[in-house]
Amino acid sequence: MSGELSPIDKAKFVAAKRAAEYVQSGMRVGLGTGSTAAWLVRCLGEKVREEGLRFRGVPTSTRTAELAREVGIEVISLDEAGWLDLTIDGADEFDSELNLIKGGGGALLQEKIVATASDEMIVIADAAKHVETLGAFPLPVEVIPFGWTASQALLEEALVTMDVLGRKTTLRMNGDRAYITDEGNYILDLHLSRIGNARQLAMLVNQIPGVVENGLFIDICDRVIIGYGDGRVETRDINAGTVSEERVDFVEDDNLFRDI
Ligand code: 5RP
């Protein structure tokens, strides 16, 4: 029930609910991963069941695929879809240019492929994700398991030439084992504190042998929908240069809040 939801969860929910209105029947839609994206999938499932919305979803992780099927969304692969009308996803950080850090949930590779294969990407987030400069959130970098310590050493060496504040890198763990992505890879988290030139860093990181992809999304996101705990949502459109604010109504005993 919403009464038990934290202000952050309410913020995520209203951003997701507003974003769900961008999905129209006939669309092929990329479905992000994470707690905010999970709200989106639930909102879209409700629209499928109660409003007859018909669209096909391309999930960015096995977690999202399972939830999407559970709530009644037709799931297809990116290869079946070919190209997408829209992708909606969460983010760990976004700046005023709508550049992002993603991958806190470990799904950055599929998320980046799906978002870049879309006409439009909308990010849904609570206001705490907005930063002046990217980098306080550790930057996830997906590497193949073979020789990952060599990739890590090369990454740390490359960071010396970069405009960053911290240079520590850590292997993401799942208990006492390395975290494994959906693609069977590892994730190195780069504790940079502040990234001076995100575009340059994104290009450099991807040149290191063993690196599959990094969590910097540069010039990919078109719109961000920021939710607040009191039901307000702010939509920023980077292409149109517009900012608008409205309110999303939700009832305390909304079905969506059950079983959370
Ligand atoms: C997953 C992601 C998520 O979008 C990001 O971690 C935000 O998650 P949440 O919505 O739970 O805060 O990039 O790889």
Side-chain angles (χ1 to χ4, degrees):
M1 302 284 258
S2 77
E4 292 158 23
L5 287 183
S6 68
I8 287 282
D9 277 324
K10 284 182 190 164
K12 290 177 178 186
F13 171 73
V14 290
K17 189 159 185 179
R18 178 68 187 93
E21 289 169 21
Y22 285 84
V23 176
Q24 291 167 10
S25 282
M27 279 186 165
R28 293 158 297 175
V29 181
L31 303 170
T33 295
S35 56
T36 322
W39 282 120
L40 170 83
V41 172
R42 290 185 197 106
C43 288
L44 288 173
E46 187 176 63
K47 278 173 157 299
V48 166
R49 292 189 306 274
E50 292 179 15
E51 296 172 24
L53 177 70
R54 289 286 167 266
F55 74 99
R56 288 171 295 163
V58 173
T60 51
S61 63
T62 48
R63 273 168 287 163
T64 297
E66 274 168 26
L67 180 61
R69 287 196 182 95
E70 210 175 284
V71 300
I73 294 171
E74 184 186 346
V75 168
I76 56 169
S77 70
L78 182 57
D79 295 317
E80 284 167 324
W83 193 258
L84 303 176
D85 299 285
L86 173 65
T87 285
I88 306 174
D89 200 349
D92 298 300
E93 283 186 354
F94 66 92
D95 67 14
S96 298
E97 267 81 56
L98 305 196
N99 293 319
L100 321 170
I101 286 184
K102 284 189 51 56
L108 67 107
L109 179 55
Q110 289 191 24
E111 288 173 338
K112 202 183 252 191
I113 296 171
V114 165
T116 51
S118 303
D119 284 341
E120 185 180 3
M121 181 195 196
I122 298 177
V123 158
I124 46 178
D126 57 275
K129 305 285 183 66
H130 184 213
V131 295
E132 204 171 302
T133 308
L134 298 174
F137 191 92
L139 175 65
V141 174
E142 184 156 342
V143 295
I144 65 164
F146 178 84
W148 70 270
T149 54
S151 300
Q152 182 180 32
L154 289 166
L155 262 172
E156 286 179 356
E157 203 178 299
L159 286 176
V160 174
T161 66
M162 286 286 107
D163 179 12
V164 291
L165 271 186
R167 296 196 170 82
K168 192 176 159 213
T169 67
T170 51
L171 180 68
R172 190 176 299 183
M173 302 299 288
N174 183 10
D176 56 0
R177 291 172 182 227
Y179 175 87
I180 308 282
T181 68
D182 273 355
E183 264 64 43
N185 295 319
Y186 292 169
I187 288 187
L188 291 170
D189 287 306
L190 278 47
H191 303 264
L192 309 173
S193 299
R194 183 183 175 280
I195 301 172
N197 188 334
R199 188 180 304 272
Q200 195 183 32
L201 181 67
M203 286 192 291
L204 182 82
V205 166
N206 278 17
Q207 281 170 13
I208 290 168
V211 169
V212 183
E213 193 48 86
N214 70 81
L216 284 166
F217 283 47
I218 311 291
D219 295 338
I220 296 176
C221 174
D222 300 284
R223 213 186 290 249
V224 64
I225 300 179
I226 306 162
Y228 295 86
D230 61 3
R232 276 178 305 128
V233 289
E234 184 183 307
T235 303
R236 297 186 194 177
D237 184 322
I238 195 72
N239 304 311
T242 54
V243 180
S244 58
E245 198 176 298
E246 58 214 296
R247 187 167 285 278
V248 169
D249 294 321
F250 61 97
V251 284
E252 295 288 314
D253 62 348
D254 196 311
N255 281 337
L256 288 170
F257 300 143
R258 300 214 172 97
D259 306 324
I260 302 293

